[in-house]
Amino acid sequence: MHFLTYSLLRLAVLVAVFLLSMWLGVGLILSGIAAVAISFAVSYLFFPRLHAAAGDEFRGWISRTPRPRNRVALEDQEAEDAYVDRRLREEGRES
């Protein structure tokens, strides 16, 4: 939900700056460049907690590893994880 909120906020700032600069007669291309730059800066500087929450949420969507569907693959994965954890403890590099 944070990602959607942050994206809509950035889009609203972008549209507002674009329309304002077009109304002032700056020109299409310069208005677009200014709108992108200002919307990025405003959302990044004035909403840092929302920016961080949106980034964490997006990272969670991307970094999901698919879980195996069958029982044998699940058991193999659990055995491998237990082995790696045991080796890390023996070497003193606990995760």
Side-chain angles (χ1 to χ4, degrees):
M1 189 66 185
H2 295 292
F3 181 76
L4 180 63
T5 305
Y6 187 69
S7 297
L8 289 176
L9 180 70
R10 283 183 74 174
L11 181 64
V13 172
L14 182 123
V15 168
V17 171
F18 180 77
L19 291 176
L20 178 67
S21 60
M22 285 298 291
W23 182 71
L24 292 173
V26 174
L28 182 67
I29 293 178
L30 193 56
S31 294
I33 293 171
V36 168
I38 291 172
S39 69
F40 173 76
V42 166
S43 60
Y44 188 78
L45 292 174
F46 293 112
F47 305 105
R49 283 186 281 159
L50 188 57
H51 174 78
D56 289 340
E57 189 174 293
F58 189 71
R59 188 177 314 110
W61 292 340
I62 291 176
S63 67
R64 288 188 194 162
T65 55
R67 300 219 12 111
R69 298 262 185 225
N70 59 16
R71 185 179 53 84
V72 174
L74 282 172
E75 290 172 356
D76 287 347
Q77 187 180 37
E78 290 172 5
E80 291 170 1
D81 290 344
Y83 174 76
V84 169
D85 290 342
R86 185 170 22 98
R87 293 291 297 183
L88 287 174
R89 268 185 264 134
E90 288 173 359
E91 295 174 4
R93 298 184 303 159
E94 292 185 31
S95 55

